[in-house]
Amino acid sequence: MILRAIKAKDAGLGACVAAVLFAVTFFAERNEWQHVEAVERVAFERTADSIARGVVARLDGRLDGLAALHEALRDGTVSEGAGFEVAAALIQGKAAPYLAINLIDRDRRIAQVWPAEPNRAALGRTVGQSPAIVALLDEARMTRRPKATGIVDLFQGGQGLVVYYPIHRDGEFRGYLNAVFRVADLDEDIVALAPASLAVRLFDGAAADAAADPLRHIHVSDIPVLNRHFRLEVSHARGVRGSADYFVALVLPFALSLIAGGTASLLLARSRLGRAEEALLANLTRSLPLALITVDARGRILRFNPAAERIFGVPAHAALSREIHDFVPVDRRDAHRGLTAGFMESDLDNLVMGDWRSVEAQRADGARFPVSVLLTKTLIEGQRVATAIVTDMTEEQRKQIALVRLADDREAQAHRALSASQAKTMFLASMSHELRTPLNAIIGFSEMIDQEILGRMEPKKYAEYIKDILSSARGLLALINDILDYSKIEAGAHRPNMEAIALEAAVEQAVRTARGIAHEKNIQLVFQAGGAPTAVMGDARAIRQVLLNVFSNAIKFSPAGSTVTVAAAAPDAEGRAAIVVEDRGEGIPPTFLANLGQPFHQARGDSAVAGEGTGLGLAISIGLMRSMGGDLKIDSEVGRGTRVILAFDRAGTMIDPA
């Protein structure tokens, strides 16, 4: 009975001990999980919030660069061309990466891109292929405020975010400054701020429901970009373990052993995971091209990665006994100590140490060099530590200096080209008198001899010679006049005397003059006037010169017995009055048509016909039409003839042709 009582007592005691042990284990485990979940949640929220602030800071930095470039374009400090390229390159270096920085003209065409590659294909393309984008551009132009799109398809491929800054200068709308951020690039930028254990994405849409996925921590932040708001989602896998698991274990007679085994397995798993994460972090620290330097609250170096050894020229074992201030130039160390202490005591989790152009570090040999520095801060075992991520900007500085020199060289070349053009214009102007004066004398005396005003010529062979002299002199004078006219147009020295002109009357007068040439070639020149008289703005002498040049070309390249038609046409797409000159000649091959309007380039390859002119008439005509605000277009088809369309701006009042 005693034995039985002892056994029963022992068994009861053992059961009590087992029950107590199980209860202690259960409640201890449950409390540990709840604590871990709470700590993870707080740490996760803090990290997610820090990532969001970092993303906002980076986007703000890029927008600040664009705002500065926009202001320079508005006040004329930066101009199109090389000036824009240099300015775009500078802000690329400061706030990179932009996928593209573009200038868009007032017609929404891309006029200039930076960088040229891989964006060259976008030149000339029209932005705003959807009503929504067109409305956005109109709103930016009307309100004079920059606007951002949502996530859109890009010319360069993929999707991205596009911003437009309207450019108004001297009260006039000039177009837009445009920048493109590819979503993939932004994702890489964001991931650079986030630990590898977190999943981060930027999207345009409604916020995710944080309670929808019980197996993940989810934090959604609002990211403002100009007039739009985007969402930044940060998520992290979390462990979920309910009390029911433990209560089920009570039913089993070996619950205590299973709990102990499970707890041991969990601890081992946690230990392995911790070692794996530590090894991964150490590997990343060793392989990163950026210098990572971790310091304590007093600035003493705790970690110095291989990139830091390479950049500063100091081995890690020697750096660990020094302060971070030793790698700052002597004249800046006091300011650096104050900045570091202030950052350690502040509520900021990260800080960018100013513009890299004004931030310098010092190598072991005393050499100073520009750096970009990002400071981050955290708590380790209750102690504040900071990590400086240092980028050597020496190569970036060299590139920017090279870009500035290139811009200076281009400006010098442009100045030399302008000086050469001015010298050419002055030379031609001075030669005008020197060449025309003797030619006029040659022509005048040749005409007197040809007309035998002072007596008969003997022998008669001299009559043939004098005709050749007279013809050659007149041809040379016409060539000189053409060259001088083209030089004035090219130099911008031609100033048309703009007035209201009765177009039909001017055309009819030019037709009467050209009919003599047409008659010699047995060609009929027909003028088909329109209805009511049309008044256009132009220079009467320039209009006559253009009409005679176009009529002469049409007659010259028309076969004998054909007809050249001159007709008033319907207004063009811009409402301008139009005159169409059409011949039935052989037409102009496409290879020649592409180069028409270039000086000394003739419309046909037939030297027997083309040799009759200088090749300047069409170039002069195009220049004169443009100087009057008009246009000259050519449409030709081999074997079917050529059409020349002359478009003139209409005058505000009608002119009586009488």
Side-chain angles (χ1 to χ4, degrees):
M1 294 295 294
I2 295 175
L3 183 59
R4 289 180 181 178
I6 292 174
K7 288 182 178 179
K9 184 178 180 179
D10 291 341
L13 182 59
C16 290
V17 170
V20 170
L21 179 60
F22 179 80
V24 170
T25 305
F26 170 76
F27 286 108
E29 186 68 16
R30 188 187 67 176
N31 290 337
E32 180 184 0
W33 271 100
Q34 289 175 345
H35 175 71
V36 169
E37 285 286 329
V39 170
E40 286 184 353
R41 184 67 192 183
V42 171
F44 166 78
E45 291 291 338
R46 182 182 299 171
T47 302
D49 188 59
S50 175
I51 292 170
R53 291 199 300 271
V55 171
V56 170
R58 293 196 176 194
L59 286 174
D60 286 347
R62 298 181 189 180
L63 295 176
D64 288 345
L66 290 173
L69 177 55
H70 172 241
E71 185 63 27
L73 288 168
R74 286 200 311 171
D75 61 21
T77 304
V78 171
S79 60
E80 294 80 7
F84 169 76
E85 292 181 2
V86 172
L90 289 175
I91 71 167
Q92 270 279 34
K94 178 179 179 181
Y98 304 89
L99 178 59
I101 304 175
N102 309 316
L103 275 182
I104 301 173
D105 64 22
R106 66 190 68 186
D107 295 322
R108 295 188 286 108
R109 291 190 297 268
I110 297 177
Q112 196 167 355
V113 299
W114 180 265
E117 298 296 341
N119 304 300
R120 194 183 305 278
L123 281 172
R125 301 186 69 168
T126 300
V127 301
Q129 301 299 320
S130 68
I133 299 300
V134 172
L136 183 75
L137 292 174
D138 289 340
E139 184 181 357
R141 175 174 57 84
M142 295 298 293
T143 62
R144 300 194 177 193
R145 291 182 178 276
K147 301 294 180 182
T149 68
I151 304 300
V152 297
D153 293 330
L154 302 177
F155 287 148
Q156 300 89 342
Q159 292 188 317
L161 165 65
V162 185
V163 295
Y164 298 92
Y165 286 72
I167 302 173
H168 292 79
R169 187 164 63 244
D170 298 329
E172 182 183 357
F173 173 63
R174 302 297 181 93
Y176 301 88
L177 170 66
N178 158 246
V180 181
F181 310 97
R182 196 196 299 272
V183 169
D185 296 338
L186 291 175
D187 286 344
E188 292 178 3
D189 216 9
I190 295 168
V191 169
L193 297 172
S197 59
L198 299 184
V200 185
R201 69 185 183 101
L202 182 70
F203 62 94
D204 183 10
D209 185 1
D213 187 355
L215 298 180
R216 301 186 70 82
H217 291 306
I218 298 177
H219 180 93
V220 179
S221 302
D222 182 77
I223 304 296
V225 179
L226 298 178
N227 57 303
R228 298 190 64 89
H229 287 265
F230 297 83
R231 299 288 183 174
L232 181 71
E233 179 188 276
V234 182
S235 61
H236 182 272
R238 60 188 286 259
V240 177
R241 189 171 184 180
S243 300
D245 297 330
Y246 297 99
F247 287 114
V248 170
L250 288 173
V251 180
L252 303 176
F254 47 88
L256 186 59
S257 60
L258 289 179
I259 292 173
T263 302
S265 299
L266 180 59
L267 292 175
L268 289 174
R270 285 181 178 177
S271 178
R272 286 196 302 272
L273 180 59
R275 289 195 299 271
E277 288 182 350
E278 185 176 350
L280 177 59
L281 178 60
N283 183 58
L284 289 174
T285 302
R286 287 193 300 270
S287 61
L288 273 178
L290 306 177
L292 295 180
I293 305 174
T294 301
V295 299
D296 61 16
R298 290 188 293 175
R300 292 179 302 186
I301 297 175
L302 304 176
R303 177 176 292 178
F304 204 76
N305 77 333
E309 293 180 315
R310 183 175 62 256
I311 291 175
F312 289 95
V314 176
H317 66 84
L320 294 179
S321 61
R322 303 172 63 178
E323 293 185 352
I324 185 66
H325 316 299
D326 295 342
F327 298 101
V328 176
V330 175
D331 58 336
R332 300 191 179 187
R333 288 179 183 175
D334 290 340
H336 186 266
R337 285 189 176 91
L339 176 64
T340 304
F343 175 67
M344 284 293 191
E345 297 299 326
S346 71
D347 294 331
L348 296 176
D349 292 326
N350 57 73
L351 174 68
V352 177
M353 288 182 58
D355 188 344
W356 66 264
R357 294 168 185 81
S358 60
V359 178
E360 286 186 316
Q362 180 173 295
R363 294 189 174 93
D365 59 4
R368 299 165 69 137
F369 63 102
V371 292
S372 174
V373 181
L374 171 64
L375 295 176
T376 65
K377 181 176 59 182
T378 188
L379 285 174
I380 297 179
E381 296 180 354
Q383 300 295 321
R384 290 185 177 181
V385 297
T387 297
I389 304 174
V390 183
T391 306
D392 186 348
M393 304 300 289
T394 303
E395 182 63 19
E396 186 68 27
Q397 185 181 66
R398 186 193 65 78
K399 290 179 180 178
Q400 293 198 10
I401 293 173
L403 283 173
V404 172
R405 289 177 179 171
L406 177 61
D408 292 341
D409 290 344
R410 288 187 176 180
E411 183 177 355
Q413 291 172 5
H415 179 73
R416 289 195 294 270
L418 178 61
S419 299
S421 177
Q422 292 173 343
K424 180 192 70 175
T425 301
M426 294 177 61
F427 169 76
L428 291 174
S430 64
M431 291 301 294
S432 169
H433 175 75
E434 301 298 332
L435 293 174
R436 284 178 172 175
T437 299
L439 279 174
N440 286 329
I442 293 170
I443 292 171
F445 287 125
S446 297
E447 288 176 343
M448 290 176 59
I449 296 171
D450 182 55
Q451 297 172 13
E452 299 181 333
I453 293 176
L454 300 179
R456 296 174 58 82
M457 279 189 299
E458 295 294 344
K460 290 296 182 183
K461 192 66 174 176
Y462 286 165
E464 298 179 11
Y465 294 160
I466 202 64
K467 289 184 184 296
D468 291 341
I469 293 172
L470 181 58
S471 175
S472 298
R474 286 173 176 168
L476 184 57
L477 182 60
L479 175 60
I480 292 172
N481 287 335
D482 284 348
I483 293 174
L484 291 172
D485 286 345
Y486 182 76
S487 298
K488 288 180 181 179
I489 294 171
E490 184 183 36
H494 175 71
R495 297 290 185 269
N497 181 24
M498 300 297 287
E499 58 182 340
I501 305 292
L503 182 59
E504 284 79 2
V507 174
E508 188 172 5
Q509 184 180 8
V511 167
R512 286 198 299 269
T513 302
R515 276 185 176 139
I517 304 173
H519 180 71
E520 293 177 0
K521 291 195 63 177
N522 189 26
I523 292 173
Q524 187 177 5
L525 183 60
V526 178
F527 175 46
Q528 300 173 353
T534 304
V536 299
M537 292 302 298
D539 183 308
R541 178 182 175 277
I543 290 176
R544 177 178 174 81
Q545 184 175 354
V546 171
L547 290 172
L548 289 177
N549 278 343
V550 174
F551 294 166
S552 175
N553 280 342
I555 293 168
K556 179 167 60 176
F557 294 110
S558 294
S562 63
T563 300
V564 174
T565 303
V566 181
D572 66 3
E574 300 179 15
R576 298 181 295 188
I579 295 294
V580 178
V581 181
E582 188 169 4
D583 65 54
R584 292 292 182 268
E586 64 182 14
I588 305 173
T591 54
F592 288 90
L593 188 62
N595 295 316
L596 281 185
Q598 299 297 321
F600 305 105
H601 186 89
Q602 296 177 322
R604 274 59 164 197
D606 185 356
S607 59
V609 179
E612 298 175 8
T614 64
L616 283 171
L618 191 56
I620 293 172
S621 298
I622 292 174
L624 290 174
M625 288 298 294
R626 290 176 178 172
S627 72
M628 295 185 290
D631 197 9
L632 186 153
K633 296 181 180 179
I634 301 174
D635 183 17
S636 185
E637 185 176 348
V638 176
R640 302 193 65 177
T642 301
R643 297 172 73 248
V644 179
I645 302 97
L646 303 173
F648 301 87
D649 283 341
R650 291 177 178 268
T653 58
M654 297 302 297
I655 300 298
D656 187 352

